[in-house]
Amino acid sequence: IQKLCDRVASSTLLDDRRDAVRALKSLSKKYRLEVGIQAMEHLIHVLQTDRSDSEIIGYALDTLYNVISNDLEEEEQEENSAKQVDDLGSQFTEIFIKQQENVTLLLTLVEEFDFHVRWPGVKLLTSLLKQQGPQVQQIILVSPMGVSRLMDLLADSREVIRNDGVLLLQQLTKSNAAIQKIVAFENAFERLLDIITEEGNSDGGIVVEDCLLLLQNLLKNNNSNQNFFKEGSYIQRMKPWFEVGDDNCGWSAQKVTNLHLMLQLVRVLVSPTNPPGATSSCQKAMFHCGLLQQLCTILMATGVPADILTETINTVSEVIRGCQTNQDYFASVNAPSNPPRPAIVVLLMSMVNERQPFVLRCAVLYCFQCFLYKNQKGQGEIVSTLLPSTIDATGNSVSAGQLLCGGLFSTDSLSNWCAAVALAHALQENATLKEQLLRVQLATSIGNPPVSLLQQCTNILSQGSKVQTRVGLLMLLCTWLSNCSIAVTHFLHNPANVPFLTGQIAENLGEEEQLVQGLCALLLGISIYYNDNSLENYRKEKLKQLIEKRIGRENFIEKLGFISKHELYSRAAQKPQPSFSSPDHMMFDHEFTKLVKELEGVISKAIYKSSEEDKKEEEVKKTLEQHDNIVTHYKKVIREQDQELEELKQRINTLTSQNEQLQATVTQQVSQIQQHKDQYNLLKVQLGKDTQHHNSHGDTLQMNGIQTEEVSKLKEELEEWKNKHELLQGQLKEKDSVIEKLNSSQLEMGTTEQSSQTSKFGGLEHNNELQKELEMLRSQIQVQSAEISALQMENQKLQVMSTTADPILGDSGATASSELKGRLEQEIKELKSEVKALSEEKESLKQHLDSSSSTVAILQDEKSKLQREVAESKKEQDDLLVLLADQDQKISALKIKLKDLGVPVEDEDDTESGDQGDEDEDGEEEEQD
């Protein structure tokens, strides 16, 4: 080895150096330590100086890989030297990466397309990452385009390099969020999903497994990448992975592994540890793309291996957990049986069947818990199957409630525990169902009267069954009684329950029984804390005295503390999924640990409180409840008034829009009147010209004359015109009287407006605008009446002209008279049409004026109503302010008393003052309106 190293260092010929490096490569596997110590420096020098020759570079990289890598053949590796070999690889890696330039040089070599350089370079870099991952990751991260250059390996057409590139990226992305983000944004998801599709999805080989492991590295505990995966619509591309055929007989070991990893990848996206918003959006995407439906198909399929079925149940659990849409869909899934049964019922049958595998039963319990998590509708459906009115009398179908009851009272302690926890989840944070479950009656044996479910649970407890069974039942009872005074009353009504609990707590038992003692203490503490003192013999004070005499307060608190100090309690509190190494460790439920944390402190305080403090606390609670009721009542009143104000504002807006329409109509009519005026002026000019023409030809008319018959006809026509004119004058007088009436009514309305100016209601301005518009209409009508009087004057002039023309007319000039007659007839027709049009215009204006006056009257009524309502609301708000001030004084006095007595009181002044401030602001807004 020393001679070969000398040849590598001193030979001038490339061939000699190449042969020496090849020889070192052949020795490096067997004499790893010697080659590593003596040749590493020379090999690194070759990488730096002989880059032009790919062959020697390949040999050098292979030699370094053999020295650094621990992937030796098993037969060459003795068991006792395994640790020494690991240390050797780590030490050589440390020497290599001490100079950061070596890693940068290796990244440059990996860019080479030559197979003999790129492939050994990838393997060597992978080995370095395995040995000293964090240090090598940091060097690659700070080197320019380091990660991006490695991403190109996924696009290599040679499968060996591409597959080893996937392994390299697996090591590179381990526990490094920064590199994970860079890899994801370098289009890794697209490339990896393409590779999985090309390889045949779940039917693919080891390459699919490697890609899935890399995807898990990129997504697990990385919210940024999870969001990027969802936004890139990559969830939709996961659906084909789970399209397994009907012939489920061919499940190879690799397919099982692949499908297992695929299910885990789905769980990574919807894990309960992720931010709730991210989990929720992924759950919705999985439902909309059909992924959940596909998983439910696998769930209900036959011939699926047990471990895949278990993982599918766990995956479905987390996809539906806390998502109402997905929970509703899952409730509708039916198993392909005859008759069809709901999937929930089929799963519960497996849970309470002691012949099923333990992990499968745990998975079903988790699925049931996730189905009921934040799902009051689902909880109600489960509890309803237990209630007398809904139980199937025929007994043909088994319901979820019947299965749970059967499991609760079976001889298998694991079934007892699972059924008790499942039933507790059906009652979680749902006081209504806790009360309804008290109605459930169980038939114990033929001839005996039925007993309640609560009574049966306490009966089994007192019979001294297995620890696991008693723990499950105690957890169920604690969940049931917490925050439900009626259930506490039912529990205390049985005279045997309290003596049993005190007897259990007072005894000095072994370690196994300490857990039961702690839970009994918790149950008794709940019976005190949520006791409404409705039973005289079991009032709070009497129960506390009983504890003091029989157990002792300090002893009671010590026994209560056994729960949270237990090792199994700590394990259960870590995550929602029930994961137990063996059935014996199945003691605590995750949600129950939250309840214990919540109640342990308050029960300890309640035990030490005196009766006077309890009374004062109850009085304070009652006062606070009354105050809250008053506040909510007035909030409701204010809300209703706000709604009424909104409705009135909308009505004012509609009236305003109607007013605008009327204004537009008036504007249009004004323009039409202007057109008529222009036409009338033109007619006047034409008549003036005709008069001059008539005077200039007067002599000829006197000379020529007109036939008497034609003159008489003209006189008759003029008489008819006079009659029509008189009719029009009569109509005008009637319209004038109507207008005067409108004026007088408008003046009265004006006086009412002046008297109501002191009101601050916002609709007054709109009424003033309508008054102005009515004034405009009056002025327009006056202008029109002036125009009509002008037309009357013109008509009188025409009459005068006709009378002066009578004596002048003679027998001669028949031709001239006929021309004049034709002109006069034409002028009269035009005037008639003009007068007719004007009368029609006036009629329409009158109609609009009538409608406007009616609108004004309606607005006046509305305004007076609104003024009365505003005055009433002001009065109510003043009363509210006085009441609230009195209540605040009482509450502050009570709180001061409580503080003097040493009772801790939560400071709610900020929230109450915030509410009061909102009410005051609402009042001010109404006054401004």
Side-chain angles (χ1 to χ4, degrees):
I1 292 169
Q2 184 60 49
K3 285 179 182 178
L4 291 171
C5 290
D6 291 340
R7 281 176 62 189
V8 172
S10 59
S11 293
T12 54
L13 290 174
L14 179 62
D15 290 341
D16 289 345
R17 293 199 300 277
R18 189 189 302 123
D19 292 340
V21 174
R22 187 191 294 116
L24 283 170
K25 176 191 168 186
S26 61
L27 292 168
S28 59
K29 284 188 179 179
K30 192 170 185 181
Y31 303 102
R32 179 180 175 191
L33 179 62
E34 292 80 1
V35 173
I37 292 170
Q38 297 178 42
M40 182 174 281
E41 190 179 342
H42 300 298
L43 292 169
I44 292 169
H45 184 70
V46 167
L47 294 178
Q48 292 169 346
T49 56
D50 291 328
R51 287 183 59 186
S52 58
D53 185 65
S54 60
E55 198 171 350
I56 193 171
I57 295 291
Y59 292 146
L61 291 169
D62 280 332
T63 309
L64 287 168
Y65 172 73
N66 290 340
V67 168
I68 288 170
S69 173
N70 290 326
D71 301 336
L72 300 174
E73 297 295 329
E74 289 183 7
E75 57 267 18
E76 296 177 12
Q77 192 179 43
E78 296 180 8
E79 290 182 8
N80 56 2
S81 65
K83 189 176 181 184
Q84 183 185 348
V85 168
D86 287 345
D87 292 342
L88 201 59
S90 181
Q91 288 168 10
F92 281 134
T93 303
E94 203 169 335
I95 294 165
F96 184 83
I97 67 172
K98 192 174 285 183
Q99 299 294 325
Q100 291 192 9
E101 296 81 8
N102 294 342
V103 179
T104 310
L105 174 65
L106 192 53
L107 287 172
T108 311
L109 292 172
V110 167
E111 275 191 293
E112 295 286 337
F113 186 72
D114 194 310
F115 182 81
H116 297 290
V117 176
R118 197 173 208 182
W119 188 40
V122 170
K123 291 197 294 181
L124 176 57
L125 194 52
T126 308
S127 186
L128 291 172
L129 284 161
K130 281 182 182 177
Q131 304 295 339
Q132 296 285 344
Q135 294 90 324
V136 181
Q137 284 174 341
Q138 201 56 38
I139 296 167
I140 293 172
L141 195 58
V142 297
S143 66
M145 298 291 290
V147 179
S148 302
R149 285 188 277 186
L150 296 177
M151 283 300 299
D152 294 336
L153 296 170
L154 293 181
D156 200 304
S157 57
R158 295 160 295 194
E159 286 192 10
V160 178
I161 293 178
R162 183 199 69 185
N163 298 345
D164 280 350
V166 173
L167 295 173
L168 169 60
L169 289 169
Q170 268 184 36
Q171 298 299 326
L172 181 65
T173 54
K174 271 186 181 175
S175 307
N176 193 310
I179 293 177
Q180 287 166 4
K181 287 179 186 177
I182 296 169
V183 171
F185 282 98
E186 288 284 346
N187 209 19
F189 293 139
E190 185 78 35
R191 294 182 187 181
L192 290 170
L193 291 170
D194 287 342
I195 293 169
I196 291 169
T197 306
E198 289 167 15
E199 294 291 327
N201 294 330
S202 60
D203 293 318
I206 190 84
V207 181
V208 172
E209 181 183 343
D210 292 336
C211 289
L212 291 167
L213 287 168
L214 177 52
L215 282 169
Q216 271 195 26
N217 281 359
L218 294 174
L219 292 170
K220 200 166 189 177
N221 300 323
N222 193 318
N223 299 329
S224 171
N225 281 3
Q226 287 172 8
N227 189 50
F228 181 62
F229 192 84
K230 180 185 71 71
E231 296 295 335
S233 300
Y234 295 119
I235 289 175
Q236 287 82 333
R237 293 189 60 179
M238 296 169 78
K239 185 192 170 189
W241 296 354
F242 305 103
E243 291 175 356
V244 292
D246 295 331
D247 51 338
N248 292 326
C249 51
W251 288 85
S252 65
Q254 187 61 57
K255 181 172 182 176
V256 170
T257 305
N258 290 346
L259 207 53
H260 205 272
L261 288 169
M262 288 169 175
L263 291 165
Q264 284 182 348
L265 199 61
V266 175
R267 290 184 68 185
V268 164
L269 293 169
V270 292
S271 171
T273 57
N274 293 345
T279 300
S280 176
S281 58
C282 287
Q283 287 172 330
K284 288 173 184 172
M286 287 174 184
F287 174 75
H288 290 304
C289 76
L291 180 58
L292 174 59
Q293 293 84 327
Q294 203 65 49
L295 290 171
C296 289
T297 305
I298 296 175
L299 198 67
M300 293 292 110
T302 53
V304 180
D307 53 346
I308 292 295
L309 183 61
T310 303
E311 191 62 23
T312 305
I313 293 170
N314 286 327
T315 307
V316 169
S317 306
E318 292 183 354
V319 173
I320 66 172
R321 187 176 190 269
C323 180
Q324 189 66 54
T325 310
N326 294 6
Q327 287 166 336
D328 290 345
Y329 170 75
F330 184 69
S332 68
V333 174
N334 284 323
S337 59
N338 191 17
R341 282 179 176 165
I344 295 169
V345 172
V346 175
L347 290 172
L348 286 176
M349 289 168 77
S350 301
M351 187 183 78
V352 297
N353 184 352
E354 55 187 303
R355 290 191 296 274
Q356 293 291 345
F358 173 64
V359 286
L360 180 65
R361 297 173 77 179
C362 289
V364 173
L365 176 61
Y366 184 44
C367 186
F368 192 70
Q369 290 173 351
C370 291
F371 169 66
L372 297 177
Y373 183 69
K374 292 184 179 178
N375 181 12
Q376 292 198 345
K377 180 183 173 187
Q379 288 176 322
E381 288 170 357
I382 297 296
V383 172
S384 68
T385 59
L386 283 164
L387 298 177
S389 58
T390 56
I391 291 174
D392 186 6
T394 59
N396 291 334
S397 61
V398 181
S399 68
Q402 289 168 327
L403 285 169
L404 289 176
C405 277
L408 200 60
F409 308 122
S410 75
T411 53
D412 176 32
S413 62
L414 193 60
S415 295
N416 301 153
W417 191 91
C418 290
V421 169
L423 202 53
H425 276 262
L427 303 174
Q428 203 79 38
E429 296 178 1
N430 199 324
T432 309
L433 295 182
K434 289 177 183 178
E435 293 176 16
Q436 285 190 3
L437 203 64
L438 295 168
R439 294 166 45 206
V440 176
Q441 299 289 320
L442 301 172
T444 51
S445 58
I446 299 170
N448 292 332
V451 296
S452 69
L453 178 61
L454 186 69
Q455 180 64 48
Q456 186 65 12
C457 289
T458 54
N459 290 346
I460 293 171
L461 263 181
S462 59
Q463 288 168 9
S465 50
K466 289 183 182 178
V467 173
Q468 193 173 41
T469 302
R470 283 182 286 160
V471 168
L473 288 170
L474 283 166
M475 286 197 295
L476 170 60
L477 290 171
C478 288
T479 308
W480 193 348
L481 267 59
S482 65
N483 208 18
C484 184
S485 301
I486 299 172
V488 170
T489 306
H490 275 71
F491 178 75
L492 295 175
H493 198 268
N494 184 352
N497 287 341
V498 173
F500 167 73
L501 292 179
T502 52
Q504 286 284 314
I505 300 164
E507 286 182 24
N508 290 319
L509 303 169
E511 287 187 10
E512 287 186 358
E513 293 293 329
Q514 283 185 350
L515 192 53
V516 176
Q517 285 184 312
L519 290 167
C520 287
L522 180 67
L523 183 57
L524 187 55
I526 289 170
S527 302
I528 293 170
Y529 186 72
Y530 293 107
N531 192 340
D532 59 358
N533 293 329
S534 56
L535 293 173
E536 186 60 35
N537 293 334
Y538 295 106
R539 296 173 68 83
K540 282 185 180 182
E541 191 55 36
K542 289 189 177 180
L543 289 173
K544 282 192 235 178
Q545 289 171 2
L546 187 67
I547 288 172
E548 182 67 35
K549 288 178 185 176
R550 298 269 182 91
I551 306 164
R553 289 181 183 177
E554 288 76 12
N555 192 21
F556 179 86
I557 299 299
E558 184 187 351
K559 296 287 173 74
L560 185 63
F562 284 164
I563 302 171
S564 54
K565 290 174 185 173
H566 204 281
E567 181 190 356
L568 297 175
Y569 173 89
S570 305
R571 284 188 199 169
Q574 289 172 3
K575 58 179 182 178
Q577 184 183 357
S579 54
F580 306 101
S581 55
S582 71
D584 296 335
H585 292 161
M586 206 174 205
M587 287 293 173
F588 284 109
D589 170 56
H590 178 76
E591 290 296 324
F592 181 73
T593 61
K594 293 182 183 177
L595 183 69
V596 172
K597 282 179 191 174
E598 182 187 333
L599 293 177
E600 192 174 8
V602 294
I603 287 171
S604 301
K605 288 178 186 176
I607 294 298
Y608 282 104
K609 278 181 186 172
S610 65
S611 57
E612 292 179 1
E613 288 175 341
D614 278 338
K615 285 178 183 176
K616 287 177 181 176
E617 190 176 342
E618 283 177 11
E619 287 174 5
V620 169
K621 279 183 181 177
K622 285 179 182 177
T623 311
L624 288 171
E625 283 176 6
Q626 288 174 358
H627 173 261
D628 290 339
N629 291 335
I630 292 167
V631 169
T632 50
H633 169 69
Y634 279 106
K635 279 183 179 177
K636 185 180 177 183
V637 169
I638 290 168
R639 203 176 293 115
E640 289 173 356
Q641 289 177 349
D642 286 340
Q643 288 176 354
E644 288 175 6
L645 282 171
E646 282 297 323
E647 289 174 2
L648 291 170
K649 283 178 184 176
Q650 288 176 0
R651 290 174 67 183
I652 287 169
N653 289 333
T654 53
L655 287 172
T656 308
S657 61
Q658 289 176 3
N659 189 15
E660 287 172 356
Q661 290 175 358
L662 285 172
Q663 280 182 339
T665 309
V666 168
T667 310
Q668 188 179 359
Q669 289 176 353
V670 167
S671 63
Q672 289 176 357
I673 289 168
Q674 188 61 41
Q675 289 176 1
H676 291 312
K677 282 173 73 177
D678 295 339
Q679 291 173 3
Y680 178 70
N681 290 332
L682 284 170
L683 283 170
K684 279 174 70 177
V685 171
Q686 288 176 0
L687 282 170
K689 287 180 181 178
D690 290 341
T691 306
Q692 289 176 1
H693 180 71
H694 174 72
N695 291 334
S696 63
H697 288 81
D699 296 336
T700 55
L701 286 170
Q702 286 177 1
M703 290 171 64
N704 296 327
I706 300 173
Q707 292 181 0
T708 54
E709 291 177 355
E710 291 175 355
V711 171
S712 62
K713 283 180 183 178
L714 281 171
K715 285 180 179 179
E716 287 172 2
E717 287 175 359
L718 284 171
E719 285 294 327
E720 287 174 5
W721 174 244
K722 284 177 186 176
N723 294 333
K724 288 177 182 178
H725 182 66
E726 287 172 358
L727 283 170
L728 284 170
Q729 281 182 333
Q731 290 175 1
L732 282 171
K733 285 176 182 177
E734 290 174 1
K735 288 171 184 174
D736 288 335
S737 64
V738 170
I739 289 166
E740 284 174 3
K741 287 178 183 177
L742 284 170
N743 287 336
S744 61
S745 65
Q746 191 59 39
L747 286 170
E748 290 173 2
M749 285 160 63
T751 56
T752 56
E753 286 173 9
Q754 287 175 358
S755 64
S756 63
Q757 280 176 356
T758 55
S759 147
K760 293 183 180 180
F761 185 70
L764 190 57
E765 294 178 0
H766 298 292
N767 292 334
N768 291 334
E769 288 174 5
L770 285 171
Q771 291 285 27
K772 290 176 184 176
E773 288 160 12
L774 286 170
E775 288 296 332
M776 287 171 62
L777 286 171
R778 284 197 212 102
S779 61
Q780 289 169 5
I781 289 165
Q782 288 173 0
V783 170
Q784 285 184 343
S785 60
E787 289 173 358
I788 290 166
S789 61
L791 283 170
Q792 289 174 354
M793 293 292 293
E794 290 297 326
N795 197 6
Q796 288 174 0
K797 285 181 184 179
L798 285 171
Q799 287 177 351
V800 171
M801 285 168 61
S802 65
T803 51
T804 53
D806 285 345
I808 305 168
L809 299 175
D811 295 347
S812 60
T815 306
S817 68
S818 63
E819 287 177 0
L820 181 61
K821 181 182 177 183
R823 285 178 187 169
L824 284 169
E825 285 175 352
Q826 188 176 357
E827 293 291 339
I828 287 164
K829 285 178 183 177
E830 288 175 357
L831 285 169
K832 283 179 183 178
S833 62
E834 288 295 330
V835 170
K836 187 177 180 183
L838 286 168
S839 62
E840 287 174 356
E841 289 293 334
K842 187 170 180 182
E843 193 66 27
S844 65
L845 280 171
K846 180 187 173 186
Q847 290 174 358
H848 283 302
L849 191 60
D850 291 339
S851 64
S852 297
S853 60
S854 63
T855 306
V856 169
I858 292 165
L859 283 170
Q860 287 293 333
D861 293 337
E862 292 293 333
K863 183 181 72 179
S864 59
K865 286 179 185 176
L866 287 170
Q867 286 170 354
R868 289 196 298 274
E869 288 171 357
V870 167
E872 288 172 3
S873 64
K874 273 187 70 178
K875 187 178 177 184
E876 287 176 359
Q877 286 179 352
D878 290 337
D879 295 340
L880 170 63
L881 288 172
V882 171
L883 277 169
L884 288 175
D886 292 340
Q887 293 293 334
D888 285 336
Q889 287 175 0
K890 288 178 184 177
I891 289 164
S892 58
L894 287 167
K895 284 183 179 176
I896 290 164
K897 287 179 183 177
L898 284 172
K899 285 178 181 176
D900 293 338
L901 291 165
V903 177
V905 180
E906 291 181 3
D907 192 3
E908 297 179 351
D909 291 345
D910 295 340
T911 56
E912 289 176 4
S913 63
D915 289 342
Q916 188 65 45
D918 292 342
E919 291 167 4
D920 293 344
E921 285 172 10
D922 291 341
E924 289 173 6
E925 287 175 6
E926 288 178 0
E927 286 177 11
Q928 287 172 4
D929 291 344

